[in-house]
Structure formats: structure tokens, C-alpha cells
Amino acid sequence: MFLCFSVKSGVNQGLYLFLVLHFLNGACLFKMASCLCGSAPCLLCGCCPSSRNSTVTRLVFSFFLLLGTLVSVIMILPGMEAQLQKIPGFCQGASTIPGMENQFNCDVIVGYKSVYRMCFAMTCFFFLFSAIMVRVQSSKDPRAAIQNGFWFFKFLILVGITVGAFFIPDGTFHTVWFYFGVVGSFIFIVIQLILLIDFAHSWNKIWVGNAEEGNSKCWFAGLLSFTFLHYALAFTSVVLFYIYYTQPNDCTEHKVFISLNLIFSVIISIVSILPKVQEAQPQSGLLQASLISLYTMYVTWSAMTNNPNRKCNPSLLSLVSNVSSSEPTPTSAPGQVQWWDAQSIVGLVIFLFCTLYASIRSSSNTQVNKLMQTEEGGSYGGEGEVGEDGVRRAVDNEEEGVTYSYSFFHFHLCLASLYIMMTLTNWYKPDTTTQAMQSSMPAVWVKISSSWLGLGLYLWTLLAPLMFPDRDFS
């Protein structure tokens, strides 16, 4: 069906390529769709035994997000445009085939422009479902059938929005969408920190519970080892930051950022082990504080790498090769940017972890559940139901009430799409006049302020039971 499309010159920038990419990457998804869409509502999934419907749905939507991320990564790979230019009759300005006119502007379908358009499509897709799913209370709501089924049609909608995004004229689109990305990424970084807090609480609770049941030395040794590792990495990061990201007579902002976040990390560590805090919240401890401290140092590093002052922001290559960042490299060119660096890769790894964890999480922390709009213990799979055909199917565990907010989950993925856009483009600000990408201080302040807000939220989870003893914060 995709091969039957006719293309016209000047109108179809990126249409053919993205249809092919979606077709190839969607082959596996199409097989999953045929499994998930055996019936129109598709409330039960025969290919996902021993799973709960709420978990399966979130995993598939997360797969949609990861699929779009994969396409974005492919299109921003270094040298992709040069490889497309080698295809005869494909890119405008490249070699032609007699009797055929080159159809595609390869400058649009690769590089940061393609990432902006792909993530714009995913943002619109998830925002649409976030609006549709407002106040769904149980799977008996007709909209729940849309949430848990019709996967093939959802995939077609995503493909359609993606194709349409590539028809958007350049103009001021990239500059405007950059600011949307900054705001959305700020909120998503805070959500990531909330998920890490929840993960650390669950981790500590499980291991302490195992230690109380038996072989306590082994489990407590594990807790102590990971706590020490987190603090060691955080402290090492601080030392490296002062060495490589500050100058004796410059980089005042960096010195303030590093010092403040170090002080804040010490404060939350001390507060987490205060006797009254331990009495009100026995599960709090240094494991959670150490993990939050380490993540705070990562956000600090990520912020400093967006400083346009190259004296305060040496490239990873210069650090490894011990070359001063103030000396220009002979191969550098105006507007040339480094798409892949260490902080982007770490950011993608943390993003993948948080996305997967948000899809399968089952928190027992009341405060986190309220913030993330989820119910306690409603996510992990149990024993599926066996149908008349003898196949074990996923259980519809939301007949009495949903285990998570459909609308908030899609809003979370909407923010994740914006975060991916900013991460893959290194938070560079597009300059429409020079067609270059530039680092910007707003990106620095967004990341730093999100780290401060996240630390404040964690401190609140520690002090709230003391401030409001009559409320249940277990």
C-alpha cells in the first residue's frame, strides 16, 4: 500500500523516507498489532500471558515512544545526509537519474530538523490521547476500549501525524518549538527525579524486608555497598567538576551550581537519618539520599555542558586528550555542533530506565502515587485467565477502577517526547538566520532549577510526615 503513493516535487519533503522507515520498523509492531487487535476493544491480549491489561497497554505506548526515538536517532546520526546524497535521484542537488527529478530536501529529513518534526509528531499524538482520556474511571468507560485497543489504527495515526509534520515550513517553527521543548523537559526532569525517589524507596523497602526475613548480613552489606558507591561517584563528580568546569577567574555560575548542589545533597543526607524522620518514616535512609545526590550531580553536569562559554565547558574530546578547549581545532566550522556526547548518552539511558519503570511500577509510597496519579500495587502482572481456546490471556484488572491515570500517563509521554528532542539535539538552540545550532544559558538554568525543585520534593517527602502527623504518608 505504501508503494502506491505518488510524490510531487517540492511538497513531499521526507514523506517517502519516513513511510519506509515506519514500514520497516513497524513490521514487528504490525505483528504485535494483529495479536493485540483480535477484537475491536482488544481488552485482553492473547500474546502476553500472565500480564495485566494496565501493564500491557503502558508497555505498548512506551514502545511507540521508543520507536519514534529510534527513528530520531537514525536520522541524526553523523554522516546520514552524506549517505543519502550518494543515492542517485534522491536528494535535491545530488546526482540524478536520466528521466527522473530529485525529489527530496535531505537537509530537512536528517539532522536536528528531522528530530524536531518527529518529536513534534509524538508530542501531538500523546497530547491527543491525554485530552481524550481525561477522567476515565474504569475499563467500563467506552474510552477505555480506545486506550487498551485499536493498536494498528493508533500506529497509523502516529505515522500520519509524522508525515504531516514534515510539511511544516521552516520559518520560526524550530525556534518556537525549542521553547516548548525547554518547558516540557523541565517538567519531565522533575518527574524523572520523582520516579527515582520512588525506585529508591521501593529498592530500600524490598532489601530491608529481605534482610529481616533472613541472611541479614548479605542484604545489609548490599545496601551499604550501593550507598557507598553512589556517594563515591557523586563526590568524585564534584571534584572533577571543580577541576574541569571552573576557572580561577571565570565560571562563577558553575562554582555556585556545584557548591549549592553539594550543600543540598549533604542536607538531604543528614535529614534522611534524623531520629524523628526515621521514627515517622522508617523506610527513609541513606540509600535514597545517595541515589538522589548522584542524579543531582548528573543534572548539574548536564547543565554545565550547555554553557556557551567554551572556557567553562570543555568538550569531552579535549578532556580525554588533555587539549585545552580554548584552542580551536582545525576542523571546526561555524555552526558545527557535537551531537553525541557523554551527557546525552547518559540522559538517554536514564530516560529509557524511567520510561520502562513508569510502565511497570507498582509503588507503595502514598505521596509518589498521588504525584504520579497511580494506585497502590496495581501494575504487576498476576496469573492470566484461560480462555475457551486454552490460551492464557491478560487480565482486565481495571473493571472496578483504573490503576493509573490514563490522561496523566499520556501527558508524561508527551513530556518525554519533548525531553528526547532536547536530549538528542544537546539542548542547542536553532538559529534561523545562520542555520546553526548554539548552546544557550536558558537551557543551563532550566536544568539547574529542575534539580533544585527535585531536591525540594525529596526533602518534602522526608519532612511531610513530621509536619502533618495526622495524615497518612506511608
Side-chain angles (χ1 to χ4, degrees):
M1 181 178 70
F2 290 99
L3 299 178
C4 297
F5 281 100
S6 61
V7 292
K8 295 183 179 180
S9 176
V11 180
N12 57 350
Q13 297 175 342
L15 173 62
Y16 179 76
L17 180 61
F18 268 86
L19 285 176
V20 171
L21 281 173
H22 274 297
F23 181 78
L24 294 177
N25 287 295
C28 178
L29 180 63
F30 192 91
K31 183 177 180 181
M32 180 185 293
S34 64
C35 170
L36 290 175
C37 294
S39 60
C42 191
L43 287 175
L44 299 179
C45 176
C47 64
C48 302
S50 300
S51 299
R52 295 189 177 185
N53 197 55
S54 58
T55 304
V56 173
T57 297
R58 283 182 285 179
L59 286 173
V60 178
F61 273 116
S62 298
F63 178 78
F64 278 18
L65 177 64
L66 297 180
L67 180 63
T69 303
L70 177 61
V71 173
S72 299
V73 169
I74 292 174
M75 301 316 296
I76 205 173
L77 287 176
M80 178 59 68
E81 183 176 358
Q83 296 300 320
L84 292 179
Q85 292 281 356
K86 297 178 181 179
I87 303 177
F90 189 77
C91 293
Q92 296 174 1
S95 59
T96 61
I97 298 177
M100 293 184 60
E101 182 180 359
N102 293 19
Q103 301 286 343
F104 303 101
N105 182 358
C106 292
D107 180 54
V108 173
I109 59 178
V110 296
Y112 83 92
K113 293 182 180 180
S114 67
V115 175
Y116 270 50
R117 284 165 166 76
M118 186 69 220
C119 293
F120 172 81
M122 292 193 296
T123 302
C124 292
F125 175 78
F126 290 119
F127 183 79
L128 173 65
F129 277 91
S130 178
I132 293 174
M133 298 300 164
V134 171
R135 299 187 65 83
V136 173
Q137 302 297 327
S138 71
S139 61
K140 297 176 182 179
D141 191 308
R143 291 174 295 171
I146 301 176
Q147 168 76 1
N148 299 311
F150 300 104
W151 295 109
F152 176 67
F153 298 104
K154 293 174 185 175
F155 181 70
L156 288 183
I157 292 173
L158 179 57
V159 172
I161 298 176
T162 302
V163 172
F166 278 80
F167 287 93
I168 300 175
D170 282 353
T172 58
F173 167 74
H174 302 102
T175 302
V176 173
W177 198 238
F178 167 80
Y179 289 105
F180 274 92
V182 168
V183 176
S185 299
F186 169 82
I187 302 174
F188 184 77
I189 291 174
V190 175
I191 292 178
Q192 274 194 150
L193 187 52
I194 293 173
L195 291 172
L196 286 175
I197 293 173
D198 180 49
F199 171 75
H201 275 295
S202 301
W203 182 5
N204 184 76
K205 182 178 180 179
I206 293 173
W207 281 31
V208 169
N210 292 338
E212 293 175 351
E213 292 177 0
N215 199 8
S216 59
K217 291 184 179 180
C218 179
W219 291 107
F220 281 123
L223 286 172
L224 181 62
S225 299
F226 276 102
T227 301
F228 176 79
L229 176 63
H230 295 158
Y231 277 124
L233 291 174
F235 180 76
T236 303
S237 300
V238 171
V239 174
L240 294 177
F241 293 163
Y242 276 119
I243 294 175
Y244 293 108
Y245 289 90
T246 62
Q247 297 291 333
N249 300 318
D250 201 355
C251 313
T252 304
E253 297 94 341
H254 287 191
K255 296 174 184 176
V256 173
F257 296 156
I258 299 169
S259 301
L260 283 179
N261 280 348
L262 175 61
I263 294 172
F264 293 155
S265 297
V266 172
I267 290 175
I268 63 172
S269 299
I270 294 175
V271 171
S272 67
I273 56 175
L274 290 177
K276 289 190 175 181
V277 173
Q278 287 284 311
E279 181 181 351
Q281 212 171 182
Q283 298 301 328
S284 66
L286 289 177
L287 177 65
Q288 299 94 311
S290 65
L291 184 60
I292 300 307
S293 299
L294 180 59
Y295 180 75
T296 300
M297 294 307 159
Y298 157 72
V299 176
T300 305
W301 172 47
S302 179
M304 293 188 298
T305 58
N306 282 110
N307 193 332
N309 185 353
R310 302 308 300 176
K311 291 183 179 180
C312 305
N313 178 17
S315 65
L316 183 63
L317 179 61
S318 68
L319 295 180
V320 174
S321 59
N322 199 27
V323 176
S324 174
S325 61
S326 61
E327 299 177 2
T329 57
T331 58
S332 61
Q336 182 180 4
V337 297
Q338 178 186 1
W339 292 113
W340 293 99
D341 60 10
Q343 69 94 4
S344 296
I345 296 174
V346 174
L348 284 176
V349 171
I350 295 176
F351 157 77
L352 293 174
F353 168 78
C354 289
T355 300
L356 179 61
Y357 183 67
S359 300
I360 64 176
R361 64 182 294 274
S362 177
S363 176
S364 59
N365 188 294
T366 304
Q367 298 176 77
V368 175
N369 283 331
K370 289 181 179 179
L371 288 170
M372 297 300 296
Q373 298 289 295
T374 55
E375 298 293 336
E376 180 176 349
S379 297
Y380 289 115
E383 291 297 325
E385 296 178 348
V386 180
E388 296 179 356
D389 55 0
V391 178
R392 187 177 296 277
R393 302 181 183 277
V395 179
D396 179 14
N397 61 321
E398 298 180 309
E399 291 182 345
E400 301 300 326
V402 296
T403 60
Y404 66 101
S405 169
Y406 291 176
S407 182
F408 185 83
F409 175 73
H410 288 295
F411 182 66
H412 167 238
L413 295 184
C414 175
L415 298 175
S417 302
L418 294 171
Y419 176 79
I420 280 297
M421 180 185 76
M422 301 304 294
T423 301
L424 290 180
T425 58
N426 255 350
W427 291 71
Y428 287 124
K429 181 181 179 180
D431 188 333
T432 56
T433 58
T434 62
Q435 298 300 314
M437 299 289 284
Q438 303 173 347
S439 299
S440 61
M441 284 304 294
V444 177
W445 285 105
V446 164
K447 292 183 179 182
I448 287 296
S449 57
S450 65
S451 71
W452 293 340
L453 180 58
L455 287 169
L457 287 174
Y458 177 64
L459 190 62
W460 167 257
T461 64
L462 296 175
L463 299 179
L466 295 177
M467 298 171 62
F468 304 96
D470 296 335
R471 298 178 60 181
D472 181 20
F473 291 96
S474 60

